[in-house]
Amino acid sequence: MRNYNAINLFGVFFVHPDVPVTKRLINHESIHTAQMRELLYVPFYIIYLIEWLIKLFFKGNAYFNISFEREAYKNESNYSYLKERKHFAWVKYLRKTKDANRHKTRKRFRKRFNKKYRNNG
């Protein structure tokens, strides 16, 4: 059973052997690379870890509530996003969402997560 589709380490991403490399996956990981670059890599991982630890105590999946992941998932299908993306765009995803559809979004992420990661073991 795999626990990941792809992982991005310092701008180099590794894809699980069973996962097809799609344009969408490349775009998602490229957004993370842009986030890393603007934070000079190491602070990205520190912030990511701290945010994940904090979000563990909140309702919902901590991984999907990390600001870096929220930005990447929201824009992974927008293939021109990196050209128009402003520096530190992930900061706006730090705020708690006041959107009424937040529960639906979380549910959709959870469904996608389970479909990709849990059911393909």
Side-chain angles (χ1 to χ4, degrees), residues 94-110:
L94 279 170
R95 292 190 307 249
K96 186 175 179 179
T97 306
K98 295 177 184 173
D99 185 1
N101 293 327
R102 183 173 186 205
H103 177 72
K104 289 179 185 175
T105 303
R106 201 179 304 138
K107 192 173 181 180
R108 190 171 57 240
F109 280 146
R110 204 174 298 128

Side-chain angles (χ1 to χ4, degrees), residues 57-72:
F57 297 98
F58 288 80
K59 192 175 185 177
N61 185 306
Y63 168 79
F64 287 116
N65 287 317
I66 295 171
S67 58
F68 299 119
E69 295 299 341
R70 290 175 62 204
E71 179 188 10

Side-chain angles (χ1 to χ4, degrees), residues 41-105:
Y41 295 94
V42 174
F44 168 85
Y45 292 102
I46 294 169
I47 294 167
Y48 193 104
L49 179 62
I50 290 170
E51 192 175 349
W52 179 76
L53 289 170
I54 291 169
K55 302 281 172 112
L56 282 174
F57 297 98
F58 288 80
K59 192 175 185 177
N61 185 306
Y63 168 79
F64 287 116
N65 287 317
I66 295 171
S67 58
F68 299 119
E69 295 299 341
R70 290 175 62 204
E71 179 188 10
Y73 275 110
K74 182 171 182 179
N75 298 291
E76 67 185 5
S77 296
N78 179 355
Y79 302 114
S80 63
Y81 179 70
L82 285 170
K83 292 176 186 169
E84 57 199 40
R85 180 183 181 268
K86 293 184 182 351
H87 288 294
F88 298 98
W90 60 271
V91 172
K92 73 179 182 181
Y93 295 92
L94 279 170
R95 292 190 307 249
K96 186 175 179 179
T97 306
K98 295 177 184 173
D99 185 1
N101 293 327
R102 183 173 186 205
H103 177 72
K104 289 179 185 175
T105 303

Side-chain angles (χ1 to χ4, degrees), residues 22-35:
T22 63
K23 192 173 179 181
R24 185 179 198 161
L25 177 65
I26 292 169
N27 198 43
H28 179 99
E29 296 304 330
S30 296
I31 292 168
H32 286 316
T33 300
Q35 295 163 339

